[in-house]
Amino acid sequence: MARALINVPAKAKRGDIIEIKTLISHEMETGFRPDNTGKLLPRDIITDFVCKYNGQEIFRAELYPAISANPFFTFTTVATESGTISFEWSGDNGFSATESAKITVE
Amino acid sequence: MIRGVAAVLIGAALSVSVIAAEIPSSERKSGYDLMAREIRAMQDDDTANPGMLSVLDGEALWTRKAGTAGKSCADCHGDAQSSMKGVAARYPAFDAARGRPIDLEQRINICRADQQKATPFAFESKDLLALSAYVGRQSRGMPIDSPTTRA
């Protein structure tokens, strides 16, 4: 099971720029590395990351083999309304993980 | 002249090492104290530290039953937050029964072999690192206990 750490401010003033940070555990096996018998390890990476604010997409990233293990994303958005910020990672071999955080906008 | 400079440098190096050995414990500083504000902010932010992913894995391993004894770490040690507080700060330590020094990872593996009757984790394996990180987390902020102060 993938573990994820997310950091979303619990409270913000309307119109504030808030910083969102996410970190997820994943090997991000490139597909270019041989194992100790010389055989290439099959590619196993996260390919997509999507962040939605009350269902509306605010950030999306496509990931490639050069991205390190345990991908870390940080980005900003404008706090417009109270609600839920949800995160979804998906990738090779049917990998899928979701997380969400509540935010109160005053 | 060059020899004289070298002699002065060696003398200076010796006096530095003598002074370093005599810093009273109250004046010793963590590397953290020397960090810039930005570096401290990064270190203080657990959600940006991939080591915390390992701590979460270790937390799950702590309560997972293993081995033929069918026991988890928690079955003997209970809540790690209280039972493991300060433990990592006392390792590595000399193990009188075995007649050799052991570190935290070896201590975990000894417990695993003797109490849980399970195969010890491979050194540097993901599970062993996770458990060590979780146990180490419980001593966060505590000074490393010097062997000379131990009973």
Side-chain angles (χ1 to χ4, degrees), chain B residues 92-150:
Chain B
F94 191 76
D95 186 56
R98 285 172 179 80
R100 62 184 168 92
I102 55 167
D103 61 17
L104 186 64
E105 287 81 358
Q106 287 168 320
R107 178 65 248 177
I108 290 169
N109 264 340
I110 288 167
C111 230
R112 193 168 160 83
D114 294 356
Q115 307 296 327
Q116 295 182 297
K117 312 274 183 219
T119 322
F121 293 121
F123 191 62
E124 291 276 311
S125 64
K126 200 178 170 218
D127 285 350
L128 186 56
L129 290 174
L131 263 180
S132 323
Y134 180 60
V135 171
R137 173 78 175 79
Q138 313 309 327
S139 305
R140 191 182 221 184
M142 298 174 71
I144 295 292
D145 197 1
S146 147
T148 55
T149 63
R150 282 178 216 153

